[in-house]
Each structure stands twice: as C-alpha cells, then as structure tokens.
Amino acid sequence: MDGYVVSIDGSSVPADRAATEQALNKGNLLWLDLHGVDDDALAMLRDVFGFHPVAMDDVGEFGQRPKAENFGDVVYIVSYAATSVLGPLTEVHAFYSEPFLVTVRKAGCDVLDQVRAQLAVTGGEGASGTRPVRLIMLHHILDSMIDSFFPPMSDLDDRIDGLLERIFVSPSKDELEDLLRMQRWLVGVRKLVSPQRDVMAALLSGIVELPGKTADSDPYLRDLYDHVIRISDLIDSYRDLLSNGMDAYLSMVSNKLNEVMKQLTIIATVFLPLSFLTGFFGQNFSWLVSHLGGLGAFLILGIGSEVAAVAGLYTLFRRRGWL
C-alpha cells in the first residue's frame, strides 16, 4: 500500500491499515492519500471506511468521466489535474465525509504532493491560524487540481502563436502535425473539463449535497466553479484559434500551389511559340530549303523571331502583373 495518512496537525506518515484506523478512531484523520489501489488498499477502503459496493467498483477503474455522486453520508468525486501541455491528465478519485477525506490516484500527481508539503510547512494551520476542516481541505485539493490547467493553457497559447507565425512564413507537414497534435490534446481536455464544470455546478447548487456544507462554504465552491468556467472559456478560445490556424494552413498551401502552377504555366506559355517557330521552320519543304538560307535569314527569321516572341510574352506578362 503506497500513500500517506495526513493528520489534523499537518504531519503525515506512510499509509497502512493500522495508522489509518488509529487516526480515524482518534478523529485526527484529515486526509488519506493513496497512490494506486491494490488488494490491501481495496480491503481497507471496504472494511475500515465501509464504502458502498458501487463506489468500490468505480475506485478500481480509472479512465472515468468526472462525476459527483452521493452514497449516504459519503460523496464520491472523480476529477482531473493537468501535468503539462500535450501531456496526459491525472485522474483522482475522492471520497469525502465529515469524519474523513480519501483520495485515490493511479499515477503521480504533483499538485497533491504540493498540497501535502504545504500542510507540513504550515502545521496544518490556515491563514487565520485555524485548523483546516475536511471540507476546506477538499476545496484546496480540487482548487489545486483545477488550477493546474492554467500553466499548460498558457504554454499552449505561446505554442499556437509560434505555430501561426511559422504557418504564414513557410507551411510544411511539421506545422500540420503540430496543429493536429494540439487539436487532439485540446479535444481530450475539453471532454473532461466540460463534465468537471458540471460537477462543480452540482456541488454548488446542492444537487449533490456535501456533508457539513454551510452558507460559509458557498464562496469556496463558487471559487471552484469560477476557475472551471475560466478554463472552459480558454479551451473554447484556443479551439477557435487552432481552427483558424488550420484554415490559414490550407489557404497558404493553396496559395503556394497556385504560385507554382502560375510559374509552370508561364514557362509552358513561353515555350509554346518557340515550339511553333522551330516546328514551322523545321518543315522539309523544297521552297523553304531553297529560299531560306544564309546567316541573315538564320539571325532574323530563326533567332530573331524566337527572341521577339519571348520579348512580346514578357511585356504582356509584366503589363498584366503576372511577373
């Protein structure tokens, strides 16, 4: 079993069944943070905390949609935290009740480690010098997870700006791959942030009732909802930017293709009269052979007519703005 048992005073010890039961019986259990769920962890959650069988089935299955459900006096919440731009998201399952707060995560989560480290530094005291209650602790955890999306979004903004600049200079397959990779990551994030916004709305409106919730708790829940709304708005904005980037890429590629086609057309047009002249004078008629001869005819009719054709086409292209 991997994890930590965090007490009211901010101290933490490695998680095991004995330490968890002792802290729970004394009323000192502020937060139990488990890293992954093995058979021992599942047995402890089932026997010590008495979680609902449906919740026990869900906690062992990662890759779920964000949600919040009531199981008697326990609220089960699935939420996500960001790691880095284009990086995977970290899924966290939380069980909240007035006597305890339990989080379960399959992979590492830096934001939760930072929350636990901050508790150790402050001794568990808040800014007002009061001991944190578990509902406030739940807010700190969810707030840290939600705020973890802002740095990757800022990095994504910079990447989009750089990508658009490269597209307008010289679009290539590398820019297209980067654009599609950003779009794919942003779509995945949006699929999780949108239901996470609904979870915060359900907690705020009381559709999912948090044990111990009072009027003093509403500002904390509104703060969470506000942050999720901001992230959702950023995702929509960046999605529009990437869509515009795709349009710009296709437009630049089309313009580049048109330029190439214009150049090839001009070359073909220049050689068209030259091919006609060489073909005409290359005919093996006796009159042409017997009457057209000498250096003057070669320079005037042969070379001169071809130079005149090229000069005439060049003048025409310049007047029409094709060159």
Side-chain angles (χ1 to χ4, degrees):
M1 188 184 305
D2 186 19
Y4 292 91
V5 176
V6 182
S7 301
I8 293 292
D9 60 0
S11 62
S12 60
V13 297
D16 57 39
R17 183 161 183 163
T20 302
E21 289 179 338
Q22 182 180 4
L24 187 60
N25 293 333
K26 290 183 178 180
N28 294 329
L29 179 60
L30 175 64
W31 174 24
L32 172 62
D33 183 28
L34 296 178
H35 306 168
V37 283
D38 53 18
D39 293 338
D40 293 337
L42 289 174
M44 183 183 68
L45 294 177
R46 180 182 62 251
D47 301 335
V48 176
F49 294 95
F51 291 150
H52 195 278
V54 174
M56 291 300 302
D57 290 339
D58 289 344
V59 74
E61 297 179 1
F62 287 86
Q64 298 191 37
R65 189 174 185 268
K67 61 182 179 180
E69 298 177 345
N70 276 114
F71 291 97
D73 58 350
V74 177
V75 175
Y76 175 51
I77 301 174
V78 177
S79 186
Y80 282 82
T83 54
S84 61
V85 61
L86 305 183
L89 303 184
T90 302
E91 182 179 357
V92 177
H93 297 204
F95 295 89
Y96 166 74
S97 182
E98 288 192 75
F100 56 80
L101 172 61
V102 179
T103 58
V104 181
R105 45 187 166 123
K106 184 177 182 180
C109 186
D110 293 339
V111 293
L112 294 190
D113 294 336
Q114 293 171 5
V115 171
R116 182 170 54 82
Q118 184 64 29
L119 284 174
V121 171
T122 61
E125 292 186 357
S128 61
T130 59
R131 296 295 182 184
V133 296
R134 293 169 188 85
L135 184 56
I136 302 302
M137 194 66 225
L138 177 64
H139 164 267
H140 291 340
I141 292 174
L142 294 177
D143 185 58
S144 299
M145 295 176 62
I146 293 171
D147 288 349
S148 68
F149 284 89
F150 286 110
M153 289 298 165
S154 178
D155 293 341
L156 182 65
D157 189 9
D158 296 336
R159 292 197 180 196
I160 292 176
D161 290 340
L163 177 63
L164 293 178
E165 291 178 0
R166 297 199 306 273
I167 286 176
F168 283 108
V169 172
S170 179
S172 65
K173 290 183 178 180
D174 293 336
E175 281 70 37
L176 180 60
E177 291 176 358
D178 290 343
L179 194 149
L180 293 177
R181 191 180 303 112
M182 293 181 191
Q183 281 187 329
R184 185 166 53 250
W185 182 79
L186 201 61
V187 168
V189 173
R190 188 175 185 273
K191 288 181 179 179
L192 297 176
V193 170
S194 295
Q196 193 155 316
R197 176 187 58 193
D198 298 335
V199 168
M200 298 305 139
L203 295 176
L204 177 62
S205 62
I207 296 177
V208 177
E209 189 67 30
L210 287 171
K213 176 187 174 184
T214 62
D216 296 334
S217 307
D218 289 342
Y220 296 97
L221 298 177
R222 283 198 300 268
D223 178 67
L224 295 176
Y225 183 69
D226 175 67
H227 288 192
V228 178
I229 288 293
R230 289 169 55 192
I231 294 172
S232 180
D233 291 342
L234 286 175
I235 291 175
D236 291 338
S237 299
Y238 294 148
R239 185 180 60 172
D240 292 339
L241 284 176
L242 290 175
S243 297
N244 294 336
M246 178 62 75
D247 294 338
Y249 175 85
L250 296 176
S251 177
M252 291 298 295
V253 170
S254 177
N255 291 339
K256 187 176 180 179
L257 178 61
N258 290 337
E259 288 293 330
V260 173
M261 293 301 298
K262 186 174 81 171
Q263 294 172 4
L264 294 177
T265 302
I266 290 175
I267 294 174
T269 304
V270 168
F271 278 93
L272 180 63
L274 301 182
S275 300
F276 170 77
L277 291 174
T278 56
F280 177 79
F281 289 106
Q283 299 178 93
N284 294 322
F285 289 108
S286 59
W287 188 91
L288 289 175
V289 174
S290 60
H291 290 79
L292 297 180
L295 180 62
F298 170 74
L299 294 177
I300 296 175
L301 296 178
I303 302 299
S305 61
E306 293 187 357
V307 172
V310 173
L313 289 175
Y314 178 80
T315 303
L316 176 64
F317 294 158
R318 292 287 294 182
R319 287 182 176 179
R320 295 192 176 184
W322 293 355
L323 294 177

